[in-house]
Amino acid sequence: MDAIIDEFRAFNRSYTQVLGLLDRHILNSPFSLAEGRILFELHRAQPVTPKELGEMLQMDKGFVSRILTGFVRRKLLRKVRNPQDARSWVLQLTPSGEQAFLAINEASNGQIQRLLDPLGNEARRDMIHSMRKLSRQLNRFGEYPPKPQLDEIQIRTQLNPGDLINLIQLHGEVYREEYQYGTTFEAYVAQGIAEFYHQYDPKTNRIWIAEHLGHQVGYLALADRGTVAQLRFFVIDSNYRGIGLGKRMMELFMQFLKECNFTGAYLWTTHELPTAAALYRRFGFRLTEEKPSKAFDKPVIEHRYDLAH
Amino acid sequence: MDAIIDEFRAFNRSYTQVLGLLDRHILNSPFSLAEGRILFELHRAQPVTPKELGEMLQMDKGFVSRILTGFVRRKLLRKVRNPQDARSWVLQLTPSGEQAFLAINEASNGQIQRLLDPLGNEARRDMIHSMRKLSRQLNRFGEYPPKPQLDEIQIRTQLNPGDLINLIQLHGEVYREEYQYGTTFEAYVAQGIAEFYHQYDPKTNRIWIAEHLGHQVGYLALADRGTVAQLRFFVIDSNYRGIGLGKRMMELFMQFLKECNFTGAYLWTTHELPTAAALYRRFGFRLTEEKPSKAFDKPVIEHRYDLAH
DNA sequence: CCTATTTAGTTGACATAATCAACTAAATTT
DNA sequence: AAATTTAGTTGATTATGTCAACTAAATAGG
């Protein structure tokens, strides 16, 4: 634990430097750091009240008040009585206020751009992923990272390098964390993936890969089994559940199933996945076979579902 | 790119809050934030000169000077003329200075501990991994993350849940980034791993897993092939090369090979991996066969090495 | 509806934090 | 040995932040 604390401290020192570098540009502007932060927040959150500003930035209301009067004096800000509450104001940047914001914003963007410039695309995606993960762990009640929306998620069917591995990875992670499946299951998935890839013909097989900000968050595959199709490798990252992604992917599955004129479809799952089973049933699958299995490092009952006609 | 900048900003806001939370404890101490930081650095880096302090913490030298005189007045610090340079001082905390440091350090530790407490072990490891990755990307010339040392790396032979997947993952990552191998290679590794696991008997098979701070950074496996053994799945994370880890793992391989009384050993690699080949040769392997292969998404020549007697 | 209490924002007084420039004395360069 | 650079100190000044008192509006409770 002590090693972790030291590590944490070392990271904080390091990141403080990054933040300091980014704050520096404000020093070359006609604004103090506190003024800059308020200007930013004004732009981002307007229309906003002084009270909200103070809370967002954790600043004393007196201090905020003074900075705001300064802005009004410099004609950067308009204060209008809040119609809901005559004690309070609604704050709105004037055109020259917006311009002032733009100037420091550009400078700040430039600084960030210079910082991120040397990174490749994959590194940037990785970075975002790391940042979200860190914040999720440390700042559990903050507003970052935002809950992802279904429309931000791309689903593609082209198989790229890295995809199979990421699929195996996510499967392993999810089933290990949530159902304590172990090494045998991992080998089983690896085997399945290898097999799927060898018989993979894009005409009658398909894999759907759901991505958010370049990071893979869900998979589903359709494997050609002659006249019928097998649904395989269905998994969704736990942070991306409950937003309709599973339903969306199932729809794509059903659509492709129809296009290829398969006469039916089936899948194997286990008794431990009721949420998934409910989704399968919703799309017309019915339980047709049960058998105990030892392929999961613990006793489970495998369920076969077939599409009812 | 704009989305990435926004994301970066959002993370910075979020992390600023975390840092703010951690700095807060200093407010309940007889030290200001700046004093606290200096006290920390004094402890960490002593003996140190005022100039170095200012540079490390990016503080104005006048400001540093004043804080230091304050410390001397409070008998927390001893200033001794620098024997190398009579303009300068060597700073050293007095016993009560150390004590003061200890007090705020404990408080800070407690704060961090409370922050990390809700996380499980795996989450903590993930966190460290994310932090190191982020810092490596953003702070390329800083001292964090430190270059890992061989003696910090544990090598274990017990196969745990997640290991196989991580192995596949690292293989894919390394060979994709460094040699542009693609999906076929991934399927090939997945297949190999599944096969290895099925025939895996710990008596005459072994896998070595190198870990740093709980994060897996290298693999090597020995597969029983009857009278001889096959060396498989040798890979080391690019951030952990050049510190003797590969040599260390090969030694373990050779040792186990002897223990099990195999009469020989062989391995397959490709012409593109000269560093690995040099290592194999160093341990007595010699090139015995070459053949072109299509299993790597691009034309490569596979090389077979056999242990010479 | 009236009164007591709470709340949003302002202001003054004040303390602390941080910056800048001028300065001293030692080190280094030429 | 003179000129220049460097480490550190100090005074002047500005920025940041806190606290409490205050005004005026909103709200709660009878």
Side-chain angles (χ1 to χ4, degrees):
Chain A
M1 187 68 191
D2 271 7
I4 295 184
I5 291 182
D6 282 349
E7 181 86 22
F8 191 72
R9 282 241 181 75
F11 173 73
N12 286 349
R13 268 198 302 279
S14 149
Y15 209 75
T16 300
Q17 293 215 338
V18 172
L19 291 176
L21 188 71
L22 295 179
D23 283 340
R24 189 130 331 161
H25 75 275
I26 294 188
L27 300 181
N28 304 327
S29 79
F31 300 101
S32 74
L33 214 155
E35 286 176 326
R37 291 179 67 204
I38 287 191
L39 194 55
F40 249 89
E41 213 56 23
L42 271 174
H43 170 86
R44 216 175 62 94
Q46 65 184 319
V48 71
T49 65
K51 186 199 177 206
E52 291 164 343
L53 264 186
E55 278 166 1
M56 286 189 275
L57 299 173
Q58 313 240 50
M59 285 181 178
D60 177 78
K61 59 182 178 162
F63 191 30
V64 170
S65 172
R66 251 184 279 269
I67 289 177
L68 291 179
T69 13
F71 281 178
V72 171
R73 192 174 34 72
R74 291 196 256 175
K75 301 212 195 307
L76 304 172
L77 186 67
R78 247 198 343 264
K79 283 163 77 170
V80 184
R81 273 289 167 210
N82 186 345
Q84 267 85 56
D85 184 341
R87 291 169 303 181
S88 171
W89 303 94
V90 173
L91 305 172
Q92 198 103 37
L93 289 175
T94 63
S96 51
E98 287 290 351
Q99 209 175 326
F101 160 78
L102 231 79
I104 64 169
N105 188 49
E106 298 270 293
S108 168
N109 271 0
Q111 195 91 34
I112 294 178
Q113 204 136 18
R114 233 162 303 145
L115 198 69
L116 302 185
D117 219 40
L119 303 180
N121 273 330
E122 192 162 354
R124 287 191 194 133
R125 261 181 261 150
D126 262 21
M127 192 192 69
I128 290 183
H129 188 48
S130 298
M131 292 190 308
R132 287 183 172 235
K133 212 164 180 174
L134 253 185
S135 290
R136 244 196 306 272
Q137 292 177 324
L138 296 179
N139 215 357
R140 264 148 309 135
F141 304 107
E143 56 180 35
Y144 179 84
K147 184 158 177 66
Q149 303 298 312
L150 185 55
D151 60 11
E152 296 168 359
I153 295 176
Q154 277 98 45
I155 298 177
R156 63 175 165 86
T157 54
Q158 161 94 50
L159 193 59
N160 292 338
D163 291 343
L164 293 186
I165 287 180
N166 289 334
L167 189 157
I168 296 174
Q169 167 85 17
L170 186 62
H171 259 84
E173 204 176 295
V174 166
Y175 287 98
R176 176 158 29 87
E177 281 176 12
E178 298 176 23
Y179 307 101
Q180 291 77 50
Y181 293 177
T183 313
T184 313
F185 176 71
E186 291 169 32
Y188 171 75
V189 174
Q191 177 79 64
I193 278 293
E195 187 231 308
F196 176 76
Y197 182 69
H198 282 131
Q199 61 104 57
Y200 177 71
D201 171 1
K203 281 202 198 70
T204 54
N205 292 263
R206 184 155 285 185
I207 181 162
W208 291 270
I209 300 167
E211 290 185 317
H212 185 230
L213 297 168
H215 177 235
Q216 303 181 16
V217 300
Y219 303 90
L220 176 59
L222 182 151
D224 181 351
R225 295 303 189 201
T227 58
V228 299
Q230 183 183 4
L231 186 157
R232 301 192 76 175
F233 309 125
F234 186 31
V235 67
I236 293 180
D237 185 318
S238 61
N239 295 305
Y240 291 83
R241 299 198 193 137
I243 57 173
L245 179 56
K247 179 169 167 262
R248 180 88 197 86
M249 293 182 89
M250 281 299 288
E251 286 165 2
L252 293 169
F253 177 92
M254 298 306 285
Q255 192 184 319
F256 187 69
L257 187 73
K258 219 171 173 180
E259 278 172 26
C260 292
N261 295 314
F262 286 109
T263 62
Y266 69 97
L267 63 91
W268 283 99
T269 178
T270 77
H271 75 286
E272 295 192 303
L273 307 172
T275 324
L279 190 60
Y280 298 141
R281 274 194 296 272
R282 202 161 133 201
F283 279 86
F285 284 86
R286 295 291 174 267
L287 181 61
T288 51
E289 192 182 334
E290 302 188 45
K291 66 173 185 197
S293 168
K294 284 177 189 157
F296 299 87
D297 304 279
K298 68 175 187 181
V300 304
I301 300 164
E302 285 194 81
H303 286 180
R304 178 181 164 127
Y305 281 77
D306 278 82
L307 197 57
H309 301 281
Chain B
M1 186 67 191
D2 273 7
I4 296 183
I5 291 182
D6 283 349
E7 181 87 22
F8 191 71
R9 282 241 181 74
F11 173 74
N12 286 348
R13 271 199 300 280
S14 150
Y15 208 76
T16 300
Q17 293 213 338
V18 173
L19 291 176
L21 188 73
L22 294 179
D23 285 340
R24 192 133 326 163
H25 76 274
I26 295 188
L27 300 182
N28 303 327
S29 77
F31 299 102
S32 75
L33 214 156
E35 285 175 326
R37 292 180 66 205
I38 287 190
L39 195 54
F40 251 90
E41 213 56 24
L42 271 174
H43 171 85
R44 217 176 60 94
Q46 67 185 317
V48 71
T49 66
K51 187 198 175 203
E52 289 164 344
L53 263 186
E55 277 166 4
M56 286 190 274
L57 299 173
Q58 313 241 48
M59 285 180 181
D60 177 79
K61 58 183 179 163
F63 192 31
V64 170
S65 170
R66 251 185 278 270
I67 289 176
L68 292 179
T69 18
F71 281 178
V72 171
R73 192 175 33 72
R74 292 195 256 173
K75 302 211 194 308
L76 304 172
L77 185 69
R78 248 200 340 265
K79 281 163 80 169
V80 184
R81 272 291 166 207
N82 186 343
Q84 267 85 56
D85 183 341
R87 292 169 304 180
S88 170
W89 303 94
V90 173
L91 305 172
Q92 197 104 37
L93 289 175
T94 63
S96 50
E98 287 291 349
Q99 208 174 328
F101 159 78
L102 232 80
I104 66 169
N105 188 50
E106 299 268 293
S108 168
N109 271 359
Q111 195 90 31
I112 295 177
Q113 203 137 18
R114 233 163 302 145
L115 196 71
L116 301 185
D117 219 39
L119 302 179
N121 272 332
E122 193 162 354
R124 286 191 197 135
R125 260 182 263 152
D126 263 19
M127 192 192 68
I128 290 183
H129 189 48
S130 297
M131 293 190 307
R132 285 180 174 239
K133 213 164 179 174
L134 253 186
S135 290
R136 244 195 306 270
Q137 292 177 325
L138 296 180
N139 216 356
R140 263 147 311 135
F141 304 107
E143 56 180 35
Y144 178 84
K147 183 155 180 69
Q149 302 298 313
L150 184 56
D151 60 13
E152 296 167 1
I153 295 175
Q154 277 97 45
I155 298 177
R156 62 175 165 84
T157 54
Q158 161 94 50
L159 193 58
N160 292 338
D163 290 344
L164 293 187
I165 288 183
N166 289 335
L167 188 157
I168 296 175
Q169 167 85 17
L170 186 62
H171 259 83
E173 206 175 295
V174 166
Y175 286 99
R176 177 158 28 85
E177 282 177 12
E178 298 176 22
Y179 306 101
Q180 291 77 48
Y181 293 178
T183 314
T184 313
F185 177 69
E186 292 170 30
Y188 170 76
V189 175
Q191 176 79 64
I193 280 292
E195 188 231 307
F196 176 75
Y197 183 67
H198 283 132
Q199 61 105 57
Y200 177 72
D201 171 1
K203 279 201 201 70
T204 54
N205 291 263
R206 182 154 285 184
I207 182 162
W208 291 271
I209 300 169
E211 290 185 317
H212 185 228
L213 297 167
H215 178 237
Q216 302 180 16
V217 300
Y219 304 91
L220 177 59
L222 181 152
D224 180 352
R225 295 303 190 202
T227 57
V228 299
Q230 183 183 4
L231 185 157
R232 299 192 78 177
F233 308 124
F234 186 31
V235 66
I236 293 179
D237 185 318
S238 62
N239 295 305
Y240 291 83
R241 299 198 193 138
I243 56 173
L245 178 56
K247 179 171 168 258
R248 181 89 195 84
M249 294 181 89
M250 281 298 289
E251 285 166 0
L252 293 168
F253 177 92
M254 298 305 285
Q255 191 184 323
F256 187 68
L257 186 75
K258 215 168 175 184
E259 278 171 25
C260 292
N261 294 315
F262 285 109
T263 60
Y266 70 96
L267 63 93
W268 282 100
T269 178
T270 77
H271 74 285
E272 295 192 304
L273 308 171
T275 323
L279 191 59
Y280 299 141
R281 272 194 297 272
R282 201 161 133 201
F283 279 86
F285 284 85
R286 293 291 175 267
L287 180 61
T288 51
E289 192 182 335
E290 302 189 45
K291 66 174 182 196
S293 168
K294 283 177 190 157
F296 299 88
D297 303 281
K298 68 175 188 181
V300 304
I301 299 164
E302 286 193 81
H303 287 178
R304 177 180 165 128
Y305 282 79
D306 278 83
L307 197 57
H309 301 279

